Amino acid sequence: MKFYILTILPGYFEGPFREGVLGKAVQRGDVKIEIVNIRDFADDPHRTVDDTPYGGGEGMVLKPEPVVKAIESVRNNEKKQRVIAMTPAGRLLNHAIVRELSEFEEIIIVCGRYEGIDERVLEYFCDDLISIGDYVLTGGEPAAVVLIDAVSRFVPGVVGNRKCVEEDSFSRGLLDYPQWTRPAVFRGIPVPEVLLSGNHKEIRKWRMMKAIERTLKRRPEIIREDLLTEEEREILKHLKVRLGK
Ligand code: ADE
């Protein structure tokens, strides 16, 4: 899968795609990243990419010409592409959107800066606007890294164990169950006894209960009862009564 990142801060991306699982995927070529400097498409001697907003107001707005030229430089009708602008005014990123995006061959990501991008770019030259959360970042660059990281997990070969990806928390509307590792007692705090029991049936059931319990407490809105097994639905019913939800 290939990602193009259109940005006025090309140096921003020197680190994130060199490390960890994503770094390895890039090295192997399973994930390709190409940085496109929007400034290279400015055609005045000062390489201007921004201007003041029509109607007045604070800050600067990214000009349409260099951004659209940058998009057009990587557009390819032969490929299944999607052009996405990162903006806090976009639809909120979630598991379903990440999955949907992983079906594309190439994703072109436009990073906003200043007070925003000229609306004509968003309306006529982008397929989708995406926000990574209800807060404002200094620009779309960190949001682009988040998007690429999440989408790349669905690219075959990137995460060694497919099961981890298919069964990750959000695909089933439940948070993951909690985990512990050695030592059995850390600063006086013990690991839950059931995990040391060796009784795998009990452990499986206990983990299921813990996953449902923490989801009910922290993120009740993500629970999809239709995706739960009969056993999980039964636990959910009991926990709801117990927790008064
Ligand atoms: N640019 C600034 N804030 C953002 C956000 N929350 N999501 C995506 N892009 C952004």
Side-chain angles (χ1 to χ4, degrees):
M1 173 152 207
K2 179 157 185 176
F3 297 92
Y4 292 96
I5 307 174
L6 281 47
T7 175
I8 55 167
L9 300 178
Y12 185 90
F13 299 96
E14 274 164 23
F17 305 119
R18 289 223 297 251
E19 304 288 337
V21 170
L22 197 48
K24 290 207 177 73
V26 170
Q27 262 173 19
R28 279 196 307 270
D30 290 337
V31 172
K32 296 187 180 68
I33 311 266
E34 190 173 321
I35 311 291
V36 178
N37 187 350
I38 294 172
R39 208 174 283 283
D40 290 343
F41 296 87
D43 48 18
D44 66 307
H46 300 290
R47 306 219 296 163
T48 311
V49 289
D50 59 333
D51 205 340
T52 53
Y54 273 122
E58 288 300 305
M60 300 293 271
V61 177
L62 278 183
K63 290 163 69 62
E65 303 96 320
V67 181
V68 168
K69 280 186 185 159
I71 294 173
E72 285 169 347
S73 78
V74 292
R75 263 295 201 190
N76 180 350
N77 287 333
E78 319 261 276
K79 304 270 184 195
K80 195 175 174 215
Q81 289 185 323
R82 189 100 176 146
V83 183
I84 295 172
M86 304 311 299
T87 158
R91 59 186 181 131
L92 200 54
L93 188 62
N94 62 24
H95 174 80
I97 298 175
V98 166
R99 253 211 128 117
E100 179 191 311
L101 294 177
S102 70
E103 303 292 324
F104 287 88
E105 248 179 293
E106 298 191 345
I107 296 184
I108 299 164
I109 304 175
V110 183
C111 301
R113 274 270 139 185
Y114 309 116
E115 295 306 303
I117 307 174
D118 185 286
E119 188 66 19
R120 289 164 292 191
V121 177
L122 304 178
E123 197 170 328
Y124 295 98
F125 299 89
C126 296
D127 304 311
D128 205 351
L129 314 184
I130 288 185
S131 163
I132 63 158
D134 292 338
Y135 40 79
V136 179
L137 303 165
T138 55
E141 283 77 7
V145 174
V146 168
L147 181 75
I148 291 172
D149 188 292
V151 173
S152 295
R153 289 185 68 247
F154 286 93
V155 174
V158 171
V159 175
N161 189 348
R162 274 314 304 151
K163 237 177 139 215
C164 285
V165 179
E166 295 306 328
E167 291 179 6
D168 79 10
S169 1
F170 298 101
S171 52
R172 296 185 56 252
L174 287 179
L175 300 179
D176 277 340
Y177 55 76
Q179 300 273 23
W180 285 263
T181 186
R182 275 179 279 274
V185 181
F186 170 70
R187 300 203 178 170
I189 313 162
V191 165
E193 221 170 296
V194 59
L195 298 177
L196 311 176
S197 69
N199 183 337
H200 293 289
K201 212 171 133 212
E202 274 297 302
I203 292 173
R204 195 187 69 83
K205 179 129 196 191
W206 185 84
R207 283 178 164 166
M208 191 182 280
M209 193 269 292
K210 281 293 179 192
I212 297 171
E213 180 184 55
R214 57 166 29 178
T215 312
L216 258 179
K217 283 184 180 162
R218 299 177 195 165
R219 301 292 307 279
E221 78 283 3
I222 68 167
I223 297 178
R224 291 267 314 268
E225 285 200 40
D226 55 314
L227 296 181
L228 300 183
T229 61
E230 195 59 47
E231 192 182 8
E232 287 167 334
R233 266 201 293 272
E234 201 54 35
I235 296 176
L236 177 66
K237 215 167 80 189
H238 280 105
L239 280 172
K240 273 185 173 169
V241 175
R242 211 184 80 201
L243 299 170
K245 298 255 177 193

